Amino acid sequence: MASIYKYTLKDGVTKRYYVSYRDPAHKQHVKRGFKRKHDAEDFMHRVEISVADSDYIDPKAGNALVSDLGKSWLRGKRGTIKPKYLGDLETSWNIHVLPEWGERRIGDIRHSEVQAWVSQLAGKRSPTITIRAFGVLKGICDTAVADGLIRRNPVDKTRLPRKVRKARVYLTVSQVMALANESGRYRTLILLLGFCGPRWGEAAALRVKNIDFDRHRVLIRSSYVRAGREHYEGPPKTWETRDIPIPDMVLEALRKECEGKGANDLVFTNVKGEHIREQAMDGNGWYTGALKRSSVPRLAIHDLRHTAASIAISSGANVKAVQRMLGHKSAAMTLDTYGELFDTDLDSVAVNVNRKIAEEMNDDNKVITKTEKEQ
């Protein structure tokens, strides 16, 4: 049970009320400072209801600082997510979340403040950076709710900026060939990226033993990616291994690329025999030079993956085949990403349905005509 008491402040005149109550563990608590008895009664009733419903949260639990909770939340991420993603979260925490929220008590954060912060950040940074920073704060608040520090998550229903997808550049088959032919020692790499669609890191980690020449398959088993300033070799994105079908021309180029190499050797290396690093469109790298010499539309080297998808779709591949080739989690994700490339399929659907209707109607007419003759 909870009780309300009146007390006098040190000035000997001002009156206040406090509520004395026990939590579910029968620990005594006192909440002071109510100017009106009505406010004290309201607090008392809410405490009694929360205790009865097993939904009690110690008001002092909300005093935990976001800085402490954030460090704990990040520690909990280690070992459960990839180092690259962990590095992105740590960067977002240090640059955007900690300076703004670190010294705040988790129980004092209000939804309106979060929305104002998100809107302000979105005005200065990209939607991707803004959404990631918000995700860090949301993860901390979600954990605080789960730990019983706060009852409701103040970030819920926050409106976020929308990502606007930039227009994609899709190369034709002849353009992929032109780019590959101007890429020197990396000709086969461009052919693989442009016609088969592995991620850059997957191609960089490809080893001779991961090419099945008999089955015309490249076995995606690892990826070479950057985490902060460091690079490391680990499992593919989303930990999903897969096999990619390889056209004859690309397979023969890979065969030549692997001549004289051992099973564990990297297929593609730099001039020092080390892992290749991703190339930028601008600068003095070999890819920049190949773009200029081939005169193909400018596109990031990662976007060759989109070209591979467009070529596969235009050749008649269905969405499930493209999904498996690219390593997407689901066919829905493939459709979300490349839905516009499947629009042309609608025309063929109409043509095929028309043909089916015509065939069925012709068959029905033949049956009717035959019956009439018999009569």
Side-chain angles (χ1 to χ4, degrees), residues 52-63:
D53 292 344
S54 299
D55 192 31
Y56 172 79
I57 291 179
D58 185 350
K60 294 181 180 179
N63 292 336

Side-chain angles (χ1 to χ4, degrees), residues 66-348:
V66 173
S67 58
D68 296 328
L69 298 176
K71 294 173 184 176
S72 177
W73 180 76
L74 285 170
R75 284 196 301 270
K77 290 293 181 181
R78 298 182 185 277
T80 63
I81 60 176
K82 291 188 176 182
K84 183 181 187 304
Y85 184 44
L86 178 61
D88 291 339
L89 294 181
E90 289 175 337
T91 298
S92 186
W93 160 254
N94 289 320
I95 294 177
H96 302 295
V97 182
L98 181 59
E100 180 73 22
W101 303 100
E103 298 306 311
R104 294 290 301 276
R105 296 187 301 181
I106 192 70
D108 291 344
I109 296 176
R110 297 293 176 262
H111 171 79
S112 58
E113 297 177 295
V114 176
Q115 183 64 72
W117 171 65
V118 167
S119 299
Q120 183 181 30
L121 187 59
K124 299 182 295 184
R125 307 304 296 267
S126 70
T128 297
I129 291 176
T130 302
I131 292 170
R132 182 179 296 136
F134 169 79
V136 171
L137 181 61
K138 183 179 185 302
I140 294 169
C141 292
D142 284 340
T143 302
V145 172
D147 287 345
L149 303 183
I150 53 178
R151 178 169 286 104
R152 295 181 180 85
N153 194 330
V155 309
D156 286 347
K157 298 183 180 180
T158 300
R159 298 185 64 180
L160 301 175
R162 289 191 177 186
K163 293 183 180 181
V164 179
R165 193 180 73 187
K166 64 179 182 180
R168 289 205 180 100
V169 175
Y170 300 108
L171 299 186
T172 64
V173 170
S174 60
Q175 287 173 331
V176 174
M177 294 299 302
L179 181 60
N181 291 336
E182 294 295 341
S183 297
R185 63 180 281 124
Y186 299 107
R187 178 180 184 274
T188 304
L189 173 63
I190 295 298
L191 293 177
L192 179 67
L193 295 173
F195 289 128
C196 305
R199 299 178 178 91
W200 172 268
E202 295 167 348
L206 185 64
R207 299 182 184 275
V208 174
K209 65 182 179 182
N210 296 132
I211 303 176
D212 189 334
F213 290 100
D214 294 331
R215 296 177 54 243
H216 287 219
R217 296 286 189 274
V218 163
L219 316 179
I220 301 300
R221 298 295 182 266
S222 59
S223 182
Y224 185 70
V225 296
R226 177 183 58 81
R229 296 183 178 179
E230 303 296 327
H231 284 74
Y232 75 99
E233 190 169 331
K237 189 174 182 179
T238 70
W239 287 275
E240 291 292 336
T241 61
R242 68 187 189 283
D243 296 352
I244 298 178
I246 306 297
D248 290 341
M249 180 193 64
V250 180
L251 193 70
E252 288 308 309
L254 285 170
R255 193 186 302 276
K256 293 180 181 179
E257 199 74 34
C258 295
E259 288 179 357
K261 294 182 178 180
N264 288 316
D265 289 342
L266 292 168
V267 176
F268 305 109
T269 62
N270 60 21
V271 293
K272 297 181 180 179
E274 303 167 335
H275 282 95
I276 53 176
R277 300 289 180 89
E278 188 164 0
Q279 297 286 301
M281 285 189 294
D282 302 306
N284 300 318
W286 62 265
Y287 182 68
T288 303
L291 282 174
K292 293 178 180 178
R293 291 189 298 271
S294 63
S295 299
V296 303
R298 280 170 48 83
L299 78 167
I301 200 164
H302 173 81
D303 291 346
L304 288 172
R305 176 173 164 83
H306 304 318
T307 286
S310 70
I311 293 174
I313 293 169
S314 63
S315 68
N318 61 49
V319 64
K320 288 297 294 183
V322 177
Q323 174 207 339
R324 294 177 61 187
M325 181 180 84
L326 298 178
H328 288 166
K329 284 185 177 181
S330 66
M333 179 179 178
T334 305
L335 284 172
D336 287 342
T337 307
Y338 301 112
E340 75 276 9
L341 297 179
F342 287 95
D343 284 348
T344 54
D345 288 353
L346 297 177
D347 296 331
S348 61

Side-chain angles (χ1 to χ4, degrees), residues 4 17 34-45:
I4 298 174
Y17 297 89
F34 296 101
K35 294 181 180 181
R36 302 184 304 169
K37 186 176 182 180
H38 173 77
D39 296 331
E41 290 173 341
D42 182 62
F43 176 81
M44 180 183 70
H45 293 322

